[in-house]
Amino acid sequence: MTFFNLGTLGSTPVVKNSLDLTTSDPTDVFQFKITSGKNINLSLTDISAGDDADIRLFKDANLNGVLDDFDRKTGLVSNRGSNQDEAINFKTSSGTFFAEVSRFAPRSSGDVSYNLALSATEPAGTLPISASSSNLLPKEFVLGSLSGNVTRTGNVSNTNTTDVYNFSLGFRQGVNIQLDGLSSDADIRLIQDSNNNRIVDAGEVIRSSTNAGITSELISNITVAGNYFLQVTEATGSTNYNLALNQFSIPA
C-alpha cells in the first residue's frame, strides 16, 4: 500500500495524475481532513485501457489516524466496472478521511494507471450552486453525441450530492435541458471544460438553473457545438429526478 497525506482538503482541487497500481502494490490510500461540514468530492479518471480501478471513502471513526478494520465497517464505494470514471460526492461533518484507490485484479492484467482529484466544497443549501456543486468533472454518465432526445432518471442525496453527465453537440445542433420529477430541491448547471483538466474553472459554467423548491429546472437553447458536462446537484435534500435533453436541429 502506498500512503499519501494530503493535509486539510478545501475547495481548491488536489490533483494527483499518472499514478500506478501494481500487482505487488495494488492500493493507494489518501488521508485528508476537513475542518467543518463539507461536500467531499472524489473523481477517479483516465484509468488505463483494459484495466479497472475502484475508489472507496472511509472516515477515521476511532480517531486513531490509521485506516483499520474498525473504519472499514462503514464507507462509500464507486465500482462501475472496466475503466469507466469513478466518483464519490458525500456531504459530511468534520473529521479525518481516507480515500482508497484499488486495482480490481480480475479485470486488470498488469499495472493500472489513473488520475485522482479531490476537493471539499460547501454543503448544499448554504451557498449558491457555484459553491456547493462539485468542482470536479468525472464522466459518470456518458451520453455521447446527441442525435435525438435523451431521458434519464437518477437520485441526488447526502451520499451522492452530484451526478455528472457528459455529452456533445455537433454543427447546427442545439439542446434544451429540463430537470423535473423532484420531491426536494435540486439544481443544474452546464459546463464546458475548455482546458480539458476535468475541473470546473472560472468562466467554464455556461448556464445554471436554480429555481427554489420542486419547481422544474430549465436550460434552453444551447446551440454552440462542442463537448459539455451537465451537473445535477442536491440543494435541500434527497430527491429522485427526471432529466431530459431535447436535441433540435438548427436551420442552415
Side-chain angles (χ1 to χ4, degrees), residues 207-223:
R207 197 93 58 82
S208 299
S209 179
T210 58
N211 293 324
I214 60 173
T215 302
S216 298
E217 306 292 350
L218 180 64
I219 295 175
S220 59
N221 204 34
I222 301 300
T223 58

mmCIF file with all atom_site columns, all heavy atoms in Angstrom, residues 207-223:
data_model
loop_
_atom_site.group_PDB
_atom_site.id
_atom_site.type_symbol
_atom_site.label_atom_id
_atom_site.label_alt_id
_atom_site.label_comp_id
_atom_site.label_asym_id
_atom_site.label_entity_id
_atom_site.label_seq_id
_atom_site.pdbx_PDB_ins_code
_atom_site.Cartn_x
_atom_site.Cartn_y
_atom_site.Cartn_z
_atom_site.occupancy
_atom_site.B_iso_or_equiv
_atom_site.pdbx_formal_charge
_atom_site.auth_seq_id
_atom_site.auth_comp_id
_atom_site.auth_asym_id
_atom_site.auth_atom_id
_atom_site.pdbx_PDB_model_num
ATOM 1   N N   . ARG A 1 207 ? -24.232 27.961 -18.173 1.00 0.00 ? 207 ARG A N   1
ATOM 2   C CA  . ARG A 1 207 ? -25.575 28.345 -17.734 1.00 0.00 ? 207 ARG A CA  1
ATOM 3   C C   . ARG A 1 207 ? -25.960 27.521 -16.503 1.00 0.00 ? 207 ARG A C   1
ATOM 4   O O   . ARG A 1 207 ? -25.545 26.364 -16.386 1.00 0.00 ? 207 ARG A O   1
ATOM 5   C CB  . ARG A 1 207 ? -26.583 28.093 -18.854 1.00 0.00 ? 207 ARG A CB  1
ATOM 6   C CG  . ARG A 1 207 ? -27.926 28.805 -18.717 1.00 0.00 ? 207 ARG A CG  1
ATOM 7   C CD  . ARG A 1 207 ? -27.941 30.135 -19.434 1.00 0.00 ? 207 ARG A CD  1
ATOM 8   N NE  . ARG A 1 207 ? -27.649 30.012 -20.849 1.00 0.00 ? 207 ARG A NE  1
ATOM 9   C CZ  . ARG A 1 207 ? -28.554 29.666 -21.771 1.00 0.00 ? 207 ARG A CZ  1
ATOM 10  N NH1 . ARG A 1 207 ? -29.786 29.370 -21.426 1.00 0.00 ? 207 ARG A NH1 1
ATOM 11  N NH2 . ARG A 1 207 ? -28.189 29.634 -23.054 1.00 0.00 ? 207 ARG A NH2 1
ATOM 12  N N   . SER A 1 208 ? -26.756 28.081 -15.614 1.00 0.00 ? 208 SER A N   1
ATOM 13  C CA  . SER A 1 208 ? -27.287 27.371 -14.452 1.00 0.00 ? 208 SER A CA  1
ATOM 14  C C   . SER A 1 208 ? -28.789 27.584 -14.353 1.00 0.00 ? 208 SER A C   1
ATOM 15  O O   . SER A 1 208 ? -29.314 28.591 -14.848 1.00 0.00 ? 208 SER A O   1
ATOM 16  C CB  . SER A 1 208 ? -26.622 27.853 -13.155 1.00 0.00 ? 208 SER A CB  1
ATOM 17  O OG  . SER A 1 208 ? -25.240 27.639 -13.155 1.00 0.00 ? 208 SER A OG  1
ATOM 18  N N   . SER A 1 209 ? -29.479 26.655 -13.685 1.00 0.00 ? 209 SER A N   1
ATOM 19  C CA  . SER A 1 209 ? -30.888 26.838 -13.331 1.00 0.00 ? 209 SER A CA  1
ATOM 20  C C   . SER A 1 209 ? -31.042 26.451 -11.876 1.00 0.00 ? 209 SER A C   1
ATOM 21  O O   . SER A 1 209 ? -30.727 25.314 -11.488 1.00 0.00 ? 209 SER A O   1
ATOM 22  C CB  . SER A 1 209 ? -31.786 25.978 -14.220 1.00 0.00 ? 209 SER A CB  1
ATOM 23  O OG  . SER A 1 209 ? -33.152 26.152 -13.861 1.00 0.00 ? 209 SER A OG  1
ATOM 24  N N   . THR A 1 210 ? -31.529 27.404 -11.054 1.00 0.00 ? 210 THR A N   1
ATOM 25  C CA  . THR A 1 210 ? -31.538 27.223 -9.595  1.00 0.00 ? 210 THR A CA  1
ATOM 26  C C   . THR A 1 210 ? -32.872 27.658 -8.993  1.00 0.00 ? 210 THR A C   1
ATOM 27  O O   . THR A 1 210 ? -32.906 28.375 -7.997  1.00 0.00 ? 210 THR A O   1
ATOM 28  C CB  . THR A 1 210 ? -30.394 28.017 -8.954  1.00 0.00 ? 210 THR A CB  1
ATOM 29  O OG1 . THR A 1 210 ? -30.533 29.411 -9.289  1.00 0.00 ? 210 THR A OG1 1
ATOM 30  C CG2 . THR A 1 210 ? -29.039 27.529 -9.435  1.00 0.00 ? 210 THR A CG2 1
ATOM 31  N N   . ASN A 1 211 ? -33.972 27.230 -9.593  1.00 0.00 ? 211 ASN A N   1
ATOM 32  C CA  . ASN A 1 211 ? -35.282 27.556 -9.048  1.00 0.00 ? 211 ASN A CA  1
ATOM 33  C C   . ASN A 1 211 ? -35.452 26.946 -7.662  1.00 0.00 ? 211 ASN A C   1
ATOM 34  O O   . ASN A 1 211 ? -34.923 25.873 -7.365  1.00 0.00 ? 211 ASN A O   1
ATOM 35  C CB  . ASN A 1 211 ? -36.387 27.043 -9.977  1.00 0.00 ? 211 ASN A CB  1
ATOM 36  C CG  . ASN A 1 211 ? -36.409 27.780 -11.295 1.00 0.00 ? 211 ASN A CG  1
ATOM 37  O OD1 . ASN A 1 211 ? -36.150 28.980 -11.354 1.00 0.00 ? 211 ASN A OD1 1
ATOM 38  N ND2 . ASN A 1 211 ? -36.696 27.067 -12.380 1.00 0.00 ? 211 ASN A ND2 1
ATOM 39  N N   . ALA A 1 212 ? -36.222 27.616 -6.812  1.00 0.00 ? 212 ALA A N   1
ATOM 40  C CA  . ALA A 1 212 ? -36.442 27.139 -5.452  1.00 0.00 ? 212 ALA A CA  1
ATOM 41  C C   . ALA A 1 212 ? -37.442 25.991 -5.420  1.00 0.00 ? 212 ALA A C   1
ATOM 42  O O   . ALA A 1 212 ? -38.274 25.832 -6.318  1.00 0.00 ? 212 ALA A O   1
ATOM 43  C CB  . ALA A 1 212 ? -36.935 28.288 -4.572  1.00 0.00 ? 212 ALA A CB  1
ATOM 44  N N   . GLY A 1 213 ? -37.349 25.199 -4.376  1.00 0.00 ? 213 GLY A N   1
ATOM 45  C CA  . GLY A 1 213 ? -38.323 24.137 -4.155  1.00 0.00 ? 213 GLY A CA  1
ATOM 46  C C   . GLY A 1 213 ? -38.278 23.069 -5.238  1.00 0.00 ? 213 GLY A C   1
ATOM 47  O O   . GLY A 1 213 ? -37.235 22.772 -5.809  1.00 0.00 ? 213 GLY A O   1
ATOM 48  N N   . ILE A 1 214 ? -39.449 22.507 -5.551  1.00 0.00 ? 214 ILE A N   1
ATOM 49  C CA  . ILE A 1 214 ? -39.515 21.408 -6.511  1.00 0.00 ? 214 ILE A CA  1
ATOM 50  C C   . ILE A 1 214 ? -39.901 21.895 -7.911  1.00 0.00 ? 214 ILE A C   1
ATOM 51  O O   . ILE A 1 214 ? -40.272 21.096 -8.772  1.00 0.00 ? 214 ILE A O   1
ATOM 52  C CB  . ILE A 1 214 ? -40.482 20.314 -6.034  1.00 0.00 ? 214 ILE A CB  1
ATOM 53  C CG1 . ILE A 1 214 ? -41.903 20.864 -5.865  1.00 0.00 ? 214 ILE A CG1 1
ATOM 54  C CG2 . ILE A 1 214 ? -39.997 19.711 -4.718  1.00 0.00 ? 214 ILE A CG2 1
ATOM 55  C CD1 . ILE A 1 214 ? -42.933 19.788 -5.554  1.00 0.00 ? 214 ILE A CD1 1
ATOM 56  N N   . THR A 1 215 ? -39.787 23.196 -8.143  1.00 0.00 ? 215 THR A N   1
ATOM 57  C CA  . THR A 1 215 ? -40.015 23.742 -9.478  1.00 0.00 ? 215 THR A CA  1
ATOM 58  C C   . THR A 1 215 ? -39.002 23.155 -10.463 1.00 0.00 ? 215 THR A C   1
ATOM 59  O O   . THR A 1 215 ? -37.831 22.986 -10.147 1.00 0.00 ? 215 THR A O   1
ATOM 60  C CB  . THR A 1 215 ? -39.874 25.277 -9.455  1.00 0.00 ? 215 THR A CB  1
ATOM 61  O OG1 . THR A 1 215 ? -40.803 25.812 -8.512  1.00 0.00 ? 215 THR A OG1 1
ATOM 62  C CG2 . THR A 1 215 ? -40.140 25.868 -10.824 1.00 0.00 ? 215 THR A CG2 1
ATOM 63  N N   . SER A 1 216 ? -39.464 22.832 -11.656 1.00 0.00 ? 216 SER A N   1
ATOM 64  C CA  . SER A 1 216 ? -38.584 22.277 -12.682 1.00 0.00 ? 216 SER A CA  1
ATOM 65  C C   . SER A 1 216 ? -37.447 23.242 -13.000 1.00 0.00 ? 216 SER A C   1
ATOM 66  O O   . SER A 1 216 ? -37.606 24.463 -12.923 1.00 0.00 ? 216 SER A O   1
ATOM 67  C CB  . SER A 1 216 ? -39.376 21.981 -13.957 1.00 0.00 ? 216 SER A CB  1
ATOM 68  O OG  . SER A 1 216 ? -40.371 21.024 -13.723 1.00 0.00 ? 216 SER A OG  1
ATOM 69  N N   . GLU A 1 217 ? -36.321 22.687 -13.377 1.00 0.00 ? 217 GLU A N   1
ATOM 70  C CA  . GLU A 1 217 ? -35.167 23.474 -13.803 1.00 0.00 ? 217 GLU A CA  1
ATOM 71  C C   . GLU A 1 217 ? -35.051 23.375 -15.326 1.00 0.00 ? 217 GLU A C   1
ATOM 72  O O   . GLU A 1 217 ? -35.312 22.320 -15.913 1.00 0.00 ? 217 GLU A O   1
ATOM 73  C CB  . GLU A 1 217 ? -33.886 22.953 -13.161 1.00 0.00 ? 217 GLU A CB  1
ATOM 74  C CG  . GLU A 1 217 ? -33.928 22.851 -11.643 1.00 0.00 ? 217 GLU A CG  1
ATOM 75  C CD  . GLU A 1 217 ? -33.979 24.201 -10.945 1.00 0.00 ? 217 GLU A CD  1
ATOM 76  O OE1 . GLU A 1 217 ? -33.788 25.240 -11.621 1.00 0.00 ? 217 GLU A OE1 1
ATOM 77  O OE2 . GLU A 1 217 ? -34.208 24.229 -9.727  1.00 0.00 ? 217 GLU A OE2 1
ATOM 78  N N   . LEU A 1 218 ? -34.648 24.487 -15.974 1.00 0.00 ? 218 LEU A N   1
ATOM 79  C CA  . LEU A 1 218 ? -34.580 24.511 -17.433 1.00 0.00 ? 218 LEU A CA  1
ATOM 80  C C   . LEU A 1 218 ? -33.365 25.310 -17.899 1.00 0.00 ? 218 LEU A C   1
ATOM 81  O O   . LEU A 1 218 ? -33.129 26.429 -17.434 1.00 0.00 ? 218 LEU A O   1
ATOM 82  C CB  . LEU A 1 218 ? -35.853 25.137 -18.021 1.00 0.00 ? 218 LEU A CB  1
ATOM 83  C CG  . LEU A 1 218 ? -35.920 25.237 -19.551 1.00 0.00 ? 218 LEU A CG  1
ATOM 84  C CD1 . LEU A 1 218 ? -35.933 23.857 -20.189 1.00 0.00 ? 218 LEU A CD1 1
ATOM 85  C CD2 . LEU A 1 218 ? -37.152 26.048 -19.969 1.00 0.00 ? 218 LEU A CD2 1
ATOM 86  N N   . ILE A 1 219 ? -32.598 24.724 -18.787 1.00 0.00 ? 219 ILE A N   1
ATOM 87  C CA  . ILE A 1 219 ? -31.552 25.422 -19.524 1.00 0.00 ? 219 ILE A CA  1
ATOM 88  C C   . ILE A 1 219 ? -31.894 25.248 -20.994 1.00 0.00 ? 219 ILE A C   1
ATOM 89  O O   . ILE A 1 219 ? -31.922 24.122 -21.496 1.00 0.00 ? 219 ILE A O   1
ATOM 90  C CB  . ILE A 1 219 ? -30.153 24.856 -19.220 1.00 0.00 ? 219 ILE A CB  1
ATOM 91  C CG1 . ILE A 1 219 ? -29.787 25.101 -17.756 1.00 0.00 ? 219 ILE A CG1 1
ATOM 92  C CG2 . ILE A 1 219 ? -29.108 25.475 -20.147 1.00 0.00 ? 219 ILE A CG2 1
ATOM 93  C CD1 . ILE A 1 219 ? -28.469 24.468 -17.337 1.00 0.00 ? 219 ILE A CD1 1
ATOM 94  N N   . SER A 1 220 ? -32.179 26.337 -21.678 1.00 0.00 ? 220 SER A N   1
ATOM 95  C CA  . SER A 1 220 ? -32.716 26.221 -23.028 1.00 0.00 ? 220 SER A CA  1
ATOM 96  C C   . SER A 1 220 ? -31.814 26.874 -24.068 1.00 0.00 ? 220 SER A C   1
ATOM 97  O O   . SER A 1 220 ? -30.988 27.747 -23.769 1.00 0.00 ? 220 SER A O   1
ATOM 98  C CB  . SER A 1 220 ? -34.109 26.858 -23.101 1.00 0.00 ? 220 SER A CB  1
ATOM 99  O OG  . SER A 1 220 ? -34.070 28.213 -22.742 1.00 0.00 ? 220 SER A OG  1
ATOM 100 N N   . ASN A 1 221 ? -31.985 26.388 -25.290 1.00 0.00 ? 221 ASN A N   1
ATOM 101 C CA  . ASN A 1 221 ? -31.391 26.994 -26.477 1.00 0.00 ? 221 ASN A CA  1
ATOM 102 C C   . ASN A 1 221 ? -29.859 27.038 -26.424 1.00 0.00 ? 221 ASN A C   1
ATOM 103 O O   . ASN A 1 221 ? -29.241 28.061 -26.717 1.00 0.00 ? 221 ASN A O   1
ATOM 104 C CB  . ASN A 1 221 ? -31.961 28.399 -26.693 1.00 0.00 ? 221 ASN A CB  1
ATOM 105 C CG  . ASN A 1 221 ? -31.861 28.832 -28.147 1.00 0.00 ? 221 ASN A CG  1
ATOM 106 O OD1 . ASN A 1 221 ? -31.984 28.013 -29.047 1.00 0.00 ? 221 ASN A OD1 1
ATOM 107 N ND2 . ASN A 1 221 ? -31.638 30.116 -28.369 1.00 0.00 ? 221 ASN A ND2 1
ATOM 108 N N   . ILE A 1 222 ? -29.254 25.896 -26.101 1.00 0.00 ? 222 ILE A N   1
ATOM 109 C CA  . ILE A 1 222 ? -27.800 25.757 -26.195 1.00 0.00 ? 222 ILE A CA  1
ATOM 110 C C   . ILE A 1 222 ? -27.480 25.345 -27.621 1.00 0.00 ? 222 ILE A C   1
ATOM 111 O O   . ILE A 1 222 ? -27.891 24.276 -28.080 1.00 0.00 ? 222 ILE A O   1
ATOM 112 C CB  . ILE A 1 222 ? -27.274 24.724 -25.189 1.00 0.00 ? 222 ILE A CB  1
ATOM 113 C CG1 . ILE A 1 222 ? -27.650 25.129 -23.760 1.00 0.00 ? 222 ILE A CG1 1
ATOM 114 C CG2 . ILE A 1 222 ? -25.778 24.545 -25.333 1.00 0.00 ? 222 ILE A CG2 1
ATOM 115 C CD1 . ILE A 1 222 ? -27.096 26.464 -23.317 1.00 0.00 ? 222 ILE A CD1 1
ATOM 116 N N   . THR A 1 223 ? -26.742 26.166 -28.346 1.00 0.00 ? 223 THR A N   1
ATOM 117 C CA  . THR A 1 223 ? -26.585 25.964 -29.791 1.00 0.00 ? 223 THR A CA  1
ATOM 118 C C   . THR A 1 223 ? -25.137 25.956 -30.266 1.00 0.00 ? 223 THR A C   1
ATOM 119 O O   . THR A 1 223 ? -24.894 25.922 -31.471 1.00 0.00 ? 223 THR A O   1
ATOM 120 C CB  . THR A 1 223 ? -27.348 27.057 -30.564 1.00 0.00 ? 223 THR A CB  1
ATOM 121 O OG1 . THR A 1 223 ? -26.847 28.341 -30.178 1.00 0.00 ? 223 THR A OG1 1
ATOM 122 C CG2 . THR A 1 223 ? -28.839 26.981 -30.287 1.00 0.00 ? 223 THR A CG2 1
#
